[in-house]
Amino acid sequence: MTDNRLRDGLLDAVTLVALILVLLPIIWVFIASIRPDADIMTGGLIPTRFTVEHFLAIFARSDFLVALRNSLIVGVVVSICTVLIAVPASYSLSRFTYLGRDFMGFLILATQMLPAVAVLVPIVVLIRSLGLTNTLTALTFTHLALGLPIAVWMLKGYIDAVPRELEEASIIDGSTQLGAMFRITLPLIRPAVIAVGTFAFVLSWGEFLLALALISKTEVKTLPLALQTLFDPYSFSWGEVMAGGVVIAVPTVVLFLLFRNQLVGGLTAGGIKG
Amino acid sequence: MSDIKVSNLRKSYGAVEVLRDINLDIGSGEFVIFVGPSGCGKSTLLRCISGLESITSGRLEIGGKVVNQVPPSKRGIAMVFQSYALYPHMNVRDNMGYSLRLRRASRAETEARVNEAAAKLQLQPYLDRFPRELSGGQRQRVAIGRAIVRDPAVFLFDEPLSNLDAALRVATRLEIAALKETLPQTTMIYVTHDQVEAMTLADRIVVLNAGRVEQVGTPEELYEAPGSLFVAGFIGSPSMNIISGAFAEGLGAPTIGIRPEDVILGEGPYQGRVTHKEYLGADSFVYLDEPVAGRLTARVPGKADYPDGTTMAFGFQPAKIHRFDATGKRLTTA
């Protein structure tokens, strides 16, 4: 009994430490964004004065608003396209048998073996030769390429877990194979589809490296690039940088809050029992 | 018309031939059961009939029409799966009405037919529940209800009771028998490895072995006159005593078979040593060791009060001896 309590206590303590390590920078960013500049580096963690001037300042900047719009456009398009491409691709890998299927699956997975930095140069060369530099299209395609492989494999795992008999029952009941996918399989893997869409959005929303390599014009910059411009050596404000950080974090936090049940379901659901 | 005719049907997966030259005639309204050991192809044959598996060669007719290329939903069949295959995200009502919604039936018609099937299977209290909120038996009834709603010409059951516990299996078996009574025009094909289900439900049993039809007949025919050694050993529990060699030669065939209940203990020309007994309540199994015949099983009513190691006389009624030739085929004359 005492051993159990001790073990539970130790586990709780470890969890708490891990949680503090993860949350402390986030809390610090949020608190710093609502404190006057003077308090950010000098004051303690508990704020005594509050201000919204940093938020007003960054929202007064047209380049930041343009970047916010660009990030939203690219993020939403990437998220929707990821789902639209990953669902049929993973369904095909999971349900159909054809020549080269396993090799194709391996190739999709193999793209994850190289870090993004390793493919950065070829991607930049490719985008330049296509004349797409400094376009949101370039960002959309590259972000799609980054997130799709994981999305396909993640969804394939969930589709594999849906018993084929459910689709067969639907086919006997009068649907086609595609009809069975839409009416039976898709509703059952909905949490995973939402998870995949959310992750694609988050990945695109926070992506910096490719954006830095492909975008230089202000009118097509995304939020991570716009945030970088806040580190202006002539008029630098920690408060504005932190407020920018909060703005970048808000949509992902909202998405996770909106879909938290679905996401947890999507991450933990193993099999589906009839 | 829902008769089924299978002619020279073959099914291969690459080089592996799973079904070989299957020929079957199933009459309209008949209840036919496919039995056989694991891997004999009984489920594959059912899936070929359903259309879920394509046929490599041969011909399949349902109601006089060749349906080789007809999709499952157009064959006039309904299927009950071993795992129930209820749609987890739909409640019982939606599960049962799914096929009608696909057919774009009116809401009133769907409601009426679902209610009618639910009444037949005592499912009315569960119509708004989800499959996860039902017991195994209730789920199986919903699966049957979903099939009934389609008003099919042919009902296919793929080991529908194997996920149920023993008591529920008996109860559901009786329900299926009662269901058959209410649907006299519907042809039913049922796959099982449980020979009690086969013996109690079937009008005719199809015994499959290694992708071939071994014998087709009524339960009585298969039990009383098995056409081959395989059927003799497969049908009946405990299995028929199969004896070869000098002992069988002495009784007029290369191989003979004797049902355990046809072994007469306490009298007869042979002597066997009791090695083991199993008491089952209504009857007991007595295992005997005979020096030439080998191990034999006898079934005796009530409790067998023979101590292990006792040597006792035994014999058989000559008319109850099944004789087989060297290839395992039944000999019609003694």
Side-chain angles (χ1 to χ4, degrees):
Chain A
M1 195 67 184
T2 321
D3 280 355
N4 278 350
R5 269 191 202 162
L6 190 69
R7 193 195 60 191
D8 289 352
L10 272 172
L11 285 174
D12 287 349
V14 171
T15 311
L16 205 64
V17 169
L19 206 62
I20 288 170
L21 279 174
V22 173
L23 285 181
L24 203 61
I26 298 169
I27 294 168
W28 194 78
V29 166
F30 178 73
I31 290 173
S33 72
I34 52 168
R35 296 174 92 172
D37 266 333
D39 292 5
I40 293 174
M41 288 303 176
T42 53
L45 194 64
I46 314 290
T48 49
R49 294 186 296 164
F50 298 96
T51 179
V52 290
E53 66 185 31
H54 306 310
F55 286 95
L56 293 175
I58 58 162
F59 280 116
R61 297 175 60 139
S62 62
D63 59 337
F64 195 84
L65 291 177
V66 168
L68 183 66
R69 187 203 63 191
N70 290 341
S71 278
L72 272 174
I73 291 171
V74 174
V76 169
V77 172
V78 165
S79 173
I80 292 170
C81 288
T82 298
V83 169
L84 289 180
I85 298 169
V87 167
S90 51
Y91 188 80
S92 156
L93 286 175
S94 173
R95 288 293 194 250
F96 301 128
T97 311
Y98 47 87
L99 190 71
R101 182 193 67 171
D102 292 345
F103 183 64
M104 219 182 293
F106 168 76
L107 279 186
I108 291 172
L109 198 63
T111 57
Q112 296 303 295
M113 290 175 188
L114 294 172
V117 181
V119 290
L120 189 66
V121 174
I123 286 179
V124 171
V125 171
L126 207 66
I127 295 292
R128 265 196 198 157
S129 62
L130 289 171
L132 290 172
T133 324
N134 277 318
T135 61
L136 292 183
T137 314
L139 275 186
T140 307
F141 276 117
T142 48
H143 289 177
L144 256 179
L146 278 186
L148 258 177
I150 289 294
V152 168
W153 271 93
M154 191 175 157
L155 285 181
K156 180 185 175 303
Y158 285 98
I159 295 172
D160 285 345
V162 176
R164 274 169 192 262
E165 283 189 345
L166 294 180
E167 287 179 9
E168 289 175 349
S170 173
I171 288 168
I172 285 187
D173 275 343
S175 78
T176 58
Q177 174 97 40
L178 272 184
M181 180 188 101
F182 282 113
R183 291 189 183 91
I184 307 298
T185 308
L186 217 49
L188 292 174
I189 60 159
R190 194 180 55 190
V193 173
I194 288 173
V196 159
T198 307
F199 284 131
F201 180 85
V202 171
L203 189 141
S204 166
W205 185 259
E207 201 284 323
F208 176 72
L209 200 61
L210 280 166
L212 186 67
L214 297 171
I215 304 293
S216 56
K217 285 186 182 167
T218 308
E219 60 267 27
V220 281
K221 275 187 177 173
T222 51
L223 268 184
L225 293 180
L227 192 66
Q228 189 208 19
T229 60
L230 294 178
F231 289 94
D232 183 349
Y234 301 106
S235 60
F236 181 72
S237 159
W238 272 119
E240 282 184 31
V241 172
M242 296 305 164
V246 170
V247 171
I248 285 191
V250 163
T252 49
V253 171
V254 169
L255 274 178
F256 274 95
L257 286 178
L258 271 178
F259 298 129
R260 65 184 186 281
N261 291 336
Q262 307 272 15
L263 285 171
V264 171
L267 296 172
T268 57
I272 295 150
K273 287 178 184 148
Chain B
M1 277 287 281
S2 55
D3 56 314
I4 296 169
K5 191 174 166 69
V6 180
S7 314
N8 308 110
L9 185 145
R10 287 175 189 272
K11 172 71 188 171
S12 304
Y13 295 105
V16 182
E17 197 167 33
V18 183
L19 295 173
R20 303 157 195 213
D21 202 24
I22 304 283
N23 288 287
L24 275 177
D25 271 311
I26 299 170
S28 189
E30 214 179 353
F31 197 142
V32 169
I33 294 192
F34 296 167
V35 290
S38 295
C40 69
K42 54 189 186 294
S43 283
T44 309
L45 179 56
L46 191 82
R47 289 170 63 82
C48 284
I49 294 172
S50 73
L52 291 172
E53 295 283 350
S54 60
I55 296 166
T56 307
S57 68
R59 201 161 66 158
L60 174 68
E61 292 167 57
I62 298 178
K65 265 174 53 184
V66 178
V67 294
N68 287 26
Q69 303 299 326
V70 176
S73 59
K74 310 273 186 218
R75 294 189 180 195
I77 52 155
M79 188 157 167
V80 177
F81 292 85
Q82 182 178 357
S83 63
Y84 322 126
L86 298 180
Y87 312 125
H89 56 301
M90 297 180 196
N91 62 20
V92 171
R93 188 188 306 277
D94 290 341
N95 259 284
M96 289 171 70
Y98 180 73
S99 61
L100 298 175
R101 286 202 305 281
L102 287 178
R103 232 187 277 167
R104 302 192 190 285
S106 70
R107 191 181 289 261
E109 186 197 347
T110 306
E111 190 70 17
R113 284 175 60 178
V114 167
N115 285 336
E116 189 189 335
K120 206 177 256 182
L121 295 159
Q122 294 96 47
L123 283 170
Q124 295 106 318
Y126 312 113
L127 282 175
D128 293 318
R129 290 197 193 171
F130 284 88
R132 61 179 175 274
E133 297 166 330
L134 302 174
S135 70
Q138 287 162 349
R139 287 179 195 184
Q140 194 52 274
R141 290 220 301 278
V142 175
I144 293 170
R146 189 173 64 183
I148 290 176
V149 163
R150 299 194 61 209
D151 191 20
V154 180
F155 243 114
L156 305 176
F157 294 92
D158 189 4
E159 305 210 30
L161 308 186
S162 54
N163 281 355
L164 304 179
D165 62 45
L168 208 51
R169 203 177 300 172
V170 174
T172 314
R173 198 173 73 209
L174 292 172
E175 281 177 20
I176 290 173
L179 177 72
K180 180 70 191 94
E181 297 293 315
T182 63
L183 302 167
Q185 295 308 311
T186 309
T187 306
M188 293 190 177
I189 304 179
Y190 187 110
V191 164
T192 182
H193 59 263
D194 182 336
Q195 48 179 290
V196 178
E197 281 171 34
M199 297 294 280
T200 52
L201 289 171
D203 293 329
R204 279 194 305 155
I205 297 174
V206 177
V207 183
L208 286 142
N209 180 29
R212 282 199 175 87
V213 173
E214 195 73 28
Q215 189 176 356
V216 183
T218 63
E220 294 80 7
E221 282 167 2
L222 293 188
Y223 195 79
E224 301 295 339
S228 67
L229 269 177
F230 176 82
V231 178
F234 190 78
I235 298 288
S237 179
S239 292
M240 182 185 277
N241 296 297
I242 307 288
I243 308 165
S244 301
F247 192 96
E249 297 285 356
L251 289 162
T255 305
I256 60 159
I258 297 133
R259 295 263 176 225
E261 61 270 27
D262 296 330
V263 177
I264 303 159
L265 278 187
E267 57 182 278
Y270 313 107
Q271 296 284 315
R273 190 172 60 85
V274 176
T275 59
H276 186 62
K277 302 179 298 292
E278 286 174 346
Y279 173 63
L280 280 91
D283 47 21
S284 300
F285 302 149
V286 181
Y287 297 93
L288 295 168
D289 212 0
E290 204 276 343
V292 184
R295 188 173 182 170
L296 298 171
T297 309
R299 183 181 212 152
V300 294
K303 194 172 179 192
D305 281 326
Y306 319 116
D308 287 355
T310 311
T311 299
M312 57 193 311
F314 73 93
F316 336 103
Q317 291 176 26
K320 297 287 187 184
I321 298 171
H322 305 267
R323 293 178 172 82
F324 302 94
D325 66 17
T327 63
K329 293 277 170 234
R330 184 180 185 85
L331 291 169
T332 45
T333 52

